[in-house]
Amino acid sequence: MEIKILNLLEGAKHAEGLTVIIDVFRAFSVECYLYQQGVKNIYTVGTIEKAQQLKLEHPEYILVGERDGLLLDGFEYGNSPYFINEAEDIKGSTVVHTTSAGTRGIVNAKNATEIITGSFVNAKAIAKYILGEQPEKVSLVAMGNGGSYEAKEDVLCADYIKSLLLNKDFDLSSLKDKLLNNGGERFHQVDTQDSQPKEDFHLCLDYDKFDIVIRADKVEDDLYKMILINQ
């Protein structure tokens, strides 16, 4: 198979074949934790307005998301695995999820034949799924910060998934040290612990915690239903 690593929103627009949209901090780590907490459905949207529209149409839906890492007005939860783990009202619910990078990457990957999400917490499951599907083309898209500039954690996750696909070694042992002050510093700021708590850093880097894959199936423009695939 042909494996390409692409970057940012432009990379998502040029992705082909089986496409992995990678957002480690924190969109697609969060979705794994949402499923662990027993949510029934997740819908991914690219804009705040679309999320709000769905909430008006379905008041029972729970809005989860962020812009610039911060909780959005009218949203029940921010984009935080720690606070999702603490939530007591989401089991059996339908969640609408929108973020600065990851979810926007999904809605812009219009040339992909299939879209799945990527993070360190389910990287081995992702590689196993791809190897089982044996697509001709694989695009690993490191979405970065806001889809506009590089995030080291997403690039490293793409490298890790590629190494698994090629059965090559990859050193996870020093990864947290590399990222602590190169992407992870946002989780250690005192004044944003209510939206970007320190626990998120470790939860997003709990390597291969989940044996699941999350596929994004298009419902309409700017609206995708996330499908849980157990490996």
Side-chain angles (χ1 to χ4, degrees), residues 26 48 53 96 115 177 192 227-228:
R26 298 165 285 173
I48 298 168
Q53 175 194 332
V96 180
I115 302 171
D177 289 337
T192 56
I227 306 297
L228 177 64

Side-chain angles (χ1 to χ4, degrees), residues 24-26 29-30 33 36 79-83 85 119-122 153 172-181 183-188 193 196-210:
V24 173
F25 292 155
R26 298 165 285 173
S29 302
V30 163
Y33 285 100
Q36 177 184 250
N79 196 44
S80 166
Y82 173 71
F83 288 116
N85 279 351
S119 66
F120 274 112
V121 296
N122 66 332
E153 68 276 5
L172 287 171
S173 63
S174 61
L175 202 63
K176 285 187 178 182
D177 289 337
K178 290 178 182 177
L179 293 175
L180 187 61
N181 294 304
E185 59 268 49
R186 75 182 80 168
F187 303 113
H188 300 91
Q193 287 300 297
Q196 300 180 98
K198 61 184 182 299
E199 291 88 354
D200 281 357
F201 179 76
H202 300 286
L203 289 169
C204 290
L205 298 177
D206 192 351
Y207 315 123
D208 305 310
K209 176 180 176 67
F210 299 105

Side-chain angles (χ1 to χ4, degrees), residues 56-163:
L56 284 173
E57 295 170 356
H58 305 277
E60 73 278 12
Y61 285 5
I62 292 176
L63 301 187
V64 174
E66 55 77 28
R67 287 297 184 272
D68 298 321
L70 304 178
L71 176 65
L72 295 164
D73 289 342
F75 278 56
E76 283 85 355
Y77 294 98
N79 196 44
S80 166
Y82 173 71
F83 288 116
I84 291 301
N85 279 351
E86 295 293 303
E88 297 180 353
D89 62 343
I90 63 173
K91 185 175 182 179
S93 67
T94 293
V95 165
V96 180
H97 191 205
T98 185
T99 69
S100 301
T103 64
R104 292 175 63 217
I106 286 174
V107 302
N108 278 279
K110 299 184 185 301
N111 296 315
T113 55
E114 181 178 2
I115 302 171
I116 62 176
T117 65
S119 66
F120 274 112
V121 296
N122 66 332
K124 279 189 177 178
I126 291 165
K128 179 181 175 183
Y129 178 78
I130 294 171
L131 290 170
E133 294 293 303
Q134 282 294 309
E136 290 184 10
K137 294 183 178 182
V138 176
S139 296
L140 306 175
V141 186
M143 283 306 301
N145 291 312
S148 300
Y149 58 98
E150 182 182 285
K152 191 69 172 176
E153 68 276 5
D154 293 345
V155 174
L156 287 170
C157 188
D159 289 340
Y160 179 43
I161 294 170
K162 184 175 181 178
S163 75

